[in-house]
Amino acid sequence: MHRLFEKFIEQLSASVDAADLHEAMASAAAGLEFPLFAYFTYPPASSDTPLVISNYPSSWTSNYLRLRYHSVDPVILRGLRGLNTFHWGLDRDHRYLPASQQEVLENAAQFGIRCGLTMSIHDHRGRFAG
């Protein structure tokens, strides 16, 4: 595990563009036996489009961005609130979420995205990525 993390940090440090970041994250996800990954940065202005680097189905990510799901996604909203790593998904009790948040999880499931592990990253300026 330690070597996997070291390699990930090395790849991140050497990254010069989104393709390099994608490769670093794909390699780390594969090493952890995660079939899918997504890196999301919340946009600085609410009218801006977030940056998404992932191997999720492109039909899902384009749908997600078009519908501006990041503004109601329960995973993103929870990540914005804290620094904890957390599990999420349809297998967890989501009946108490607002309908708009349930819709995000249910639509994601149609694309094979049913659960996950999220690590929130907050920088010293208050910016968020997860």
Side-chain angles (χ1 to χ4, degrees):
M1 176 75 91
H2 182 64
R3 178 65 192 132
L4 175 70
F5 185 70
E6 284 179 349
K7 181 179 176 189
F8 179 60
I9 296 300
E10 289 169 7
Q11 285 182 294
L12 286 180
S13 297
S15 295
V16 295
D17 57 19
D20 290 344
L21 290 172
H22 185 281
E23 179 57 34
M25 287 181 267
S27 178
L32 295 167
E33 298 182 8
F34 293 144
L36 299 173
F37 73 89
Y39 173 81
F40 173 94
T41 59
Y42 209 85
S46 62
S47 61
D48 292 344
T49 301
L51 170 66
V52 179
I53 299 172
S54 78
N55 66 349
Y56 282 1
S58 60
S59 52
W60 166 247
T61 54
S62 61
N63 191 46
Y64 184 95
L65 294 172
R66 182 179 53 79
L67 294 171
R68 303 188 53 75
Y69 272 163
H70 64 279
S71 63
V72 294
D73 184 339
V75 176
I76 298 300
L77 296 177
R78 181 170 174 189
L80 284 168
R81 288 195 314 259
L83 299 173
N84 298 332
T85 297
F86 59 92
H87 293 271
W88 56 267
L90 286 176
D91 61 333
R92 303 199 172 262
D93 192 3
H94 70 281
R95 293 173 294 169
Y96 302 104
L97 295 175
S100 61
Q101 293 182 12
Q102 288 180 33
E103 177 184 323
V104 173
L105 294 176
E106 290 165 3
N107 284 345
Q110 293 177 9
F111 291 86
I113 304 163
R114 296 182 174 0
C115 61
L117 172 72
T118 294
M119 294 176 241
S120 299
I121 305 164
H122 298 263
D123 72 9
H124 67 282
R125 293 185 202 132
R127 293 181 298 197
F128 165 77

